[in-house]
Amino acid sequence: MEQIAGDGNATEPAAAAYTLSSADNVLRVLLMFKDSRVVRVTEVAARLGVARSTAHRLITTLCRRGLAVQEPGTRRYGPGPALTDLTYALMRDPAMDAVLHRQMVRLSAVLEETVSAQIFQGPDVLFTDGVEAERALKAGLRTGARLPAYAVSGGKAYLAELPREELVALYPDGFRPLTAHTVTRFDELERELVQVRERGFAVNLQGTETGLNAVGVAVHDRSGQVVAALAVSAPAHRLEGARIDEVAGALQDAARSVEQETS
């Protein structure tokens, strides 16, 4: 009986070791995103010391679960939506979310425009909440959407507080234009971020969608770190000139209220 039991369990340690090794390799691939925004199969194979076919299977598994995603037209892979959603879920502060939402409701009623909350995730921003204007002609909600931070007002408000070396590291391949008005050169973005720091707010003038303008401000936690952004978006003809300054002032007041209430 003892020998039969031993024979039946003989492969279990080896199977367990293989399972643990595979799980460890998957986790190591995920941790690679901490050092680089994108990875290639050859890089994964070299880092893990496995065959390229094994590395490809690991990345394919991550893509299937939404933890990684292949960049269109390339052989590079970056963090997937499920991974960024998990990061947000672990970092979010329900109390902060509630305060932000109250301010968005108030701002939308006062300004009669659509208001959104955004958080920064790597090179992008994630729209986490929003309150839509009641006007017939209005900006729609983008809750759940991701857009490049360099094109979005809230994203620019965040980027303005980063050191130059971090900014450069975020966009090693340059900028992808979303419209004819999207920033496409690094020096152009830097000049705009200087203005953001001087004025205390950022603008998106048809950079993500033709005919749509937006104004955004950063929201900080008690340590002074940016944790979110508040933004107002509207048809371009309604959000230009003096109206931008008016909206920016209302957003700055709202951001200060959020910071004071959550400090």
Side-chain angles (χ1 to χ4, degrees):
M1 288 289 291
E2 292 178 359
Q3 185 174 352
I4 293 174
D7 289 343
N9 293 328
T11 60
E12 288 185 8
Y18 177 79
T19 300
L20 288 173
S21 176
S22 297
D24 183 62
N25 281 337
V26 167
L27 294 174
R28 290 173 67 188
V29 175
L30 290 175
L31 289 173
M32 288 179 68
F33 291 133
K34 184 177 67 173
D35 303 320
S36 176
R37 185 174 66 89
V38 294
V39 299
R40 297 175 182 270
V41 171
T42 52
E43 295 167 347
V44 171
R47 180 79 68 89
L48 272 55
V50 299
R52 288 183 59 179
S53 58
T54 300
H56 187 266
R57 283 197 300 272
L58 291 170
I59 294 179
T60 300
T61 299
L62 291 175
C63 289
R64 195 159 52 238
R65 295 296 182 182
L67 295 168
V69 63
Q70 184 174 7
E71 291 190 345
T74 75
R75 295 183 179 180
R76 301 180 304 184
Y77 298 82
L83 183 59
T84 51
D85 287 346
L86 175 61
T87 302
Y88 171 60
L90 293 173
M91 296 178 61
R92 68 186 292 266
D93 180 351
M96 170 73 79
D97 292 346
V99 176
L100 282 169
H101 189 79
R102 286 200 300 273
Q103 287 295 330
M104 286 190 289
V105 170
R106 185 188 64 80
L107 281 170
S108 184
V110 171
L111 298 173
E112 298 184 344
E113 301 294 359
T114 296
V115 187
S116 65
Q118 307 157 14
I119 62 168
F120 187 76
Q121 291 191 331
D124 303 324
V125 293
L126 170 67
F127 287 72
T128 58
D129 195 6
V131 177
E132 195 171 62
E134 295 186 359
R135 296 185 174 194
L137 181 61
K138 61 192 174 187
L141 290 180
R142 281 179 163 163
T143 304
R146 286 179 182 78
L147 288 172
Y150 58 78
V152 180
S153 61
K156 293 176 187 178
Y158 183 93
L159 294 178
E161 302 198 18
L162 293 182
R164 188 178 191 277
E165 58 271 19
E166 288 188 31
L167 188 63
V168 172
L170 281 172
Y171 305 107
D173 301 317
F175 308 113
R176 175 174 60 90
L178 304 181
T179 73
H181 303 279
T182 309
V183 59
T184 56
R185 298 199 318 272
F186 193 81
D187 60 339
E188 185 181 358
L189 177 63
E190 283 193 304
R191 286 196 297 271
E192 189 169 350
L193 296 183
V194 169
Q195 291 183 322
V196 174
R197 289 188 284 270
E198 292 173 348
R199 299 184 301 190
F201 65 88
V203 296
N204 163 18
L205 304 180
Q206 305 186 66
T208 54
E209 185 176 332
T210 303
L212 184 72
N213 286 351
V215 181
V217 301
V219 179
H220 304 80
D221 63 14
R222 60 176 60 91
S223 68
Q225 297 296 310
V226 180
V227 291
L230 280 171
V232 170
S233 53
H237 72 273
R238 281 208 312 259
L239 190 50
E240 58 184 3
R243 177 67 168 166
I244 288 179
D245 293 328
E246 176 191 349
V247 169
L251 280 167
Q252 289 167 329
D253 289 343
R256 282 192 291 267
S257 294
V258 172
E259 291 166 354
Q260 291 169 1
E261 195 170 340
T262 57
S263 63

